[in-house]
């Protein structure tokens, strides 16, 4: 009985350690991607980048996101962006967008209001992370431009 308890606690500790390391890797990867956008000339702003979901999920949320490419005039703002993955299946993700967001084009801004805008996808394990599948869906959506349409 003692051996079973010891093995259980060791395995639980190892799995907890895996989650901590994995969540830090997820956050580091997201921060590096945002830094790469800045290196490429984009203006990047956000309030917080955090991962929760211990022990079985990596739920990463970026809050008050603002991305803008000054060269092209393209931009995107949203109150949040969420990426979810099961910790035991991190190559499959779900991305959830908020019900309202704004896309900026060179000559106008388009407010998007939608319900249930999300996508899921998977990559093949390996260093290249080749895209395997992708699915996107939304409920009712409305696009309203400050150009009058």
């Amino acid at each position: 009985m003692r051996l079973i308890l010891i093995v259980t606690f060791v395995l639980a500790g190892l799995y907890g350690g895996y989650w901590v390391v994995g969540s830090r890797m997820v956050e580091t990867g997201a921060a590096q991607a945002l830094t790469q956008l800045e290196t490429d000339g984009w203006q990047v702003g956000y309030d917080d980048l955090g991962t929760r979901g211990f022990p079985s999920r990596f739920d990463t949320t970026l809050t008050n996101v603002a991305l803008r490419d000054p060269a092209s005039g393209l931009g995107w703002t949203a109150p949040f962006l969420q990426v979810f993955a099961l910790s035991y299946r991190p190559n499959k993700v779900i991305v959830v967008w908020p019900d309202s967001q704004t896309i900026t084009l060179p000559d106008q801004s388009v407010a998007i209001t939608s319900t249930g805008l999300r996508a899921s996808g998977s990559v093949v394990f390996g260093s290249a992370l080749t895209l395997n599948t992708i699915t996107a869906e939304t409920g009712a959506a409305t696009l309203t431009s400050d150009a009058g349409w």
Side-chain angles (χ1 to χ4, degrees):
M1 181 66 166
R2 183 180 298 197
L3 180 61
I4 292 174
L5 285 174
I6 291 171
V7 169
T8 301
F9 285 128
V10 167
L11 291 175
L14 288 172
Y15 191 73
Y18 161 77
W19 188 90
V20 169
V21 170
S23 68
R24 297 301 162 241
M25 289 177 68
V26 167
E27 285 183 21
T28 299
Q32 287 174 344
L34 293 169
T35 299
Q36 184 61 50
L37 281 175
E38 287 180 320
T39 300
D40 293 343
W42 285 68
Q43 296 170 342
V44 176
Y46 61 93
D47 286 348
D48 187 45
L49 171 63
T51 300
R52 293 165 181 66
F54 180 81
S56 60
R57 296 168 49 120
F58 297 127
D59 296 345
T60 303
T61 302
L62 191 63
T63 57
N64 294 320
V65 189
L67 305 175
R68 185 171 179 277
D69 178 16
S72 66
L74 297 177
W76 175 70
T77 58
F80 67 85
L81 179 68
Q82 296 177 308
V83 180
F84 304 124
L86 295 172
S87 61
Y88 54 87
R89 193 177 263 176
N91 68 316
K92 296 186 179 190
V93 299
I94 297 171
V95 180
V96 177
W97 286 268
D99 290 343
S100 63
Q101 55 192 307
T102 303
I103 294 178
T104 305
L105 302 171
D107 59 346
Q108 63 186 306
S109 290
V110 180
I112 301 172
T113 305
S114 61
T115 56
L117 179 57
R118 62 184 159 257
S120 62
S122 66
V123 294
V124 177
F125 277 117
S127 60
L129 297 177
T130 306
L131 185 63
N132 188 31
T133 63
I134 190 166
T135 303
E137 63 181 62
T138 187
T142 302
L143 284 77
T144 306
S145 170
D146 63 2
W149 56 270

